[in-house]
Amino acid sequence: ALNNEHENFAVYDSEFSEGIQRSNELTDNLRHALTNNELFLVYQPQLDIQENKVTGIETLVRWKHDGHIVSPVDFIPLAEQSGLIVSIGEWILTQACQFAKQLVRLGYNDIIVAVNVSPRQFSHPQFCAMVRQVLKDVALAPRNLELEITEGVFMHNEENTLSVLQQLKTMGLHLSIDDFGTGYSSLSYLKRFPIDKLKIDQSFIRECHNNDEDKAIISTIVSLGKSLGLSLIAEGVEELVHVDFLKELQCDEIQGYWFSRPVEPEALIELLIEKGGD
Ligand code: C2E
Ligand code: CA
Ligand code: CA
Ligand code: CA
């Protein structure tokens, strides 16, 4: 038994260091991803289910490296740890705002383009100034931009978080809480922070058609959000039964494969022409 334990430990140890080596390598490559033009953005539409039209889109980053697409689930954490997220995040925001501007020029004046902001990016001292500068450079109205933050940002440095959110809100952009319901923070931040929208996490949606607990959680989030005057969007909506359930609850919007996967900008424009904002 002792021998076995040793062996297990050794195997675990070498896998562990291989993992670290791999992520160091990946981080080095990520450092050049921007200058090598390896990053690109896809956009997933958000459908208003009461009006049956596209009112928003979420920006999702992709990395084409060595002929493969690396998932953001794998490289965003590396970008966070290494600090690269600051420059990558600025690039993403700029591209997304340029795309939003293009949509406004096409006549979709009320479109809202959402961009994910990771905690390290959010807590950077120049974050607000950067957002303001990008909006100015692109000449995009702040009301066409939404920033998605996760509950994690409420857990450290509350005072700074509050001040940053207030500045962003004063600028006139929209703020949403991503992956709502999966964080460990208290709900009290909802009354203190200037939030517009809750994004119900996809883990509650996925199996909700045969799970009463998921249904109970979703309907509780919807009524909580509504009584606080927030708008609600469900993520990861894949099935018609999900759509029907969410419509019945009067959830405002849905996002997920049922309506559309994330697509490249040209395809998103096609989709808007068919099922557009205005
Ligand atoms: P997220 O912000 O929660 O984004 C939603 C994820 O769910 C996306 O994965 C999207 O492609 C996927 N998804 C959408 N609809 C469905 C569905 O119906 N079923 C299923 N199974 N999945 C669906 P993606 O693009 O791989 O992104 C994963 C995560 O990586 C994002 O989760 C976000 O945390 C992060 N991420 C992606 N793009 C960015 C970015 O530009 N900046 C930052 N900071 N993080 C990003
Ligand atoms: Ca929206
Ligand atoms: Ca998101
Ligand atoms: Ca999410």
Side-chain angles (χ1 to χ4, degrees):
L2 260 180
N3 254 343
N4 267 340
E5 266 168 41
H6 264 100
E7 266 167 35
N8 284 342
F9 181 75
V11 167
Y12 169 76
D13 194 47
S14 86
E15 273 175 6
F16 184 67
S17 48
E18 267 169 35
I20 292 196
Q21 206 179 333
R22 202 184 110 74
S23 58
N24 284 341
E25 259 174 52
L26 215 53
T27 305
D28 280 342
N29 292 324
L30 190 57
R31 234 174 273 286
H32 304 112
L34 265 185
T35 41
N36 290 346
N37 279 319
E38 294 177 349
L39 297 181
F40 65 99
L41 302 181
V42 289
Y43 298 93
Q44 189 175 35
Q46 301 174 332
L47 184 74
D48 181 321
I49 42 177
Q50 311 302 331
E51 309 255 333
N52 197 35
K53 69 179 193 184
V54 175
T55 48
I57 55 182
E58 180 176 1
T59 308
L60 295 159
V61 67
R62 297 290 180 263
W63 179 19
K64 192 166 185 197
H65 178 62
D66 274 354
H68 304 281
I69 304 282
V70 188
S71 164
V73 177
D74 295 323
F75 74 86
I76 291 292
L78 298 179
E80 275 259 303
Q81 286 154 30
S82 60
L84 285 169
I85 193 67
V86 174
S87 53
I88 291 177
E90 179 172 353
W91 180 85
I92 293 170
L93 184 71
T94 307
Q95 297 289 307
C97 286
Q98 282 168 351
F99 185 53
K101 183 74 188 184
Q102 187 186 353
L103 297 180
V104 169
R105 286 218 173 93
L106 288 171
Y108 303 101
N109 297 303
D110 297 326
I111 198 78
I112 297 177
V113 176
V115 177
N116 291 287
V117 176
S118 70
R120 172 119 181 221
Q121 203 187 349
F122 184 86
S123 54
H124 190 274
Q126 296 303 310
F127 182 68
C128 270
M130 185 275 285
V131 174
R132 199 185 305 270
Q133 189 62 45
V134 169
L135 286 168
K136 193 174 161 222
D137 290 347
V138 177
L140 180 73
R143 62 183 195 86
N144 294 118
L145 177 65
E146 178 172 299
L147 297 180
E148 298 191 4
I149 56 175
T150 48
E151 287 172 88
V153 306
F154 297 105
M155 301 211 302
H156 24 87
N157 205 343
E158 262 199 37
E159 239 160 74
N160 181 56
T161 301
L162 182 58
S163 131
V164 172
L165 291 177
Q166 277 167 347
Q167 287 176 64
L168 296 169
K169 197 64 225 163
T170 307
M171 281 165 61
L173 45 83
H174 308 265
L175 298 170
S176 63
I177 306 290
D178 204 357
D179 306 337
F180 186 77
T182 61
Y184 297 100
S185 53
S186 96
L187 288 175
S188 64
Y189 72 81
L190 289 178
K191 67 179 188 197
R192 281 176 292 130
F193 293 90
I195 299 302
D196 301 294
K197 181 191 223 173
L198 303 180
K199 299 195 75 177
I200 306 170
D201 189 66
Q202 31 183 303
S203 61
F204 302 118
I205 310 292
R206 199 166 300 133
E207 288 299 317
C208 75
H209 48 293
N210 42 38
N211 185 311
D212 288 343
E213 280 92 359
D214 284 337
K215 279 199 190 118
I217 292 171
I218 296 165
S219 87
T220 302
I221 295 176
V222 171
S223 45
L224 171 72
K226 282 193 178 279
S227 52
L228 292 171
L230 305 173
S231 84
L232 290 130
I233 181 165
E235 291 190 277
V237 175
E238 294 185 354
E239 313 278 344
L240 182 61
V241 282
H242 301 159
V243 184
D244 291 338
F245 175 62
L246 290 158
K247 257 189 195 160
E248 205 180 289
L249 290 179
Q250 298 202 299
C251 180
D252 304 292
E253 291 171 294
I254 58 165
Q255 181 182 341
Y257 297 169
W258 177 77
F259 182 64
S260 168
R261 290 186 173 251
V263 296
E264 304 219 10
E266 303 73 31
L268 199 280
I269 291 174
E270 296 281 304
L271 201 143
L272 276 178
I273 291 170
E274 282 164 33
K275 201 126 188 171
D278 299 293

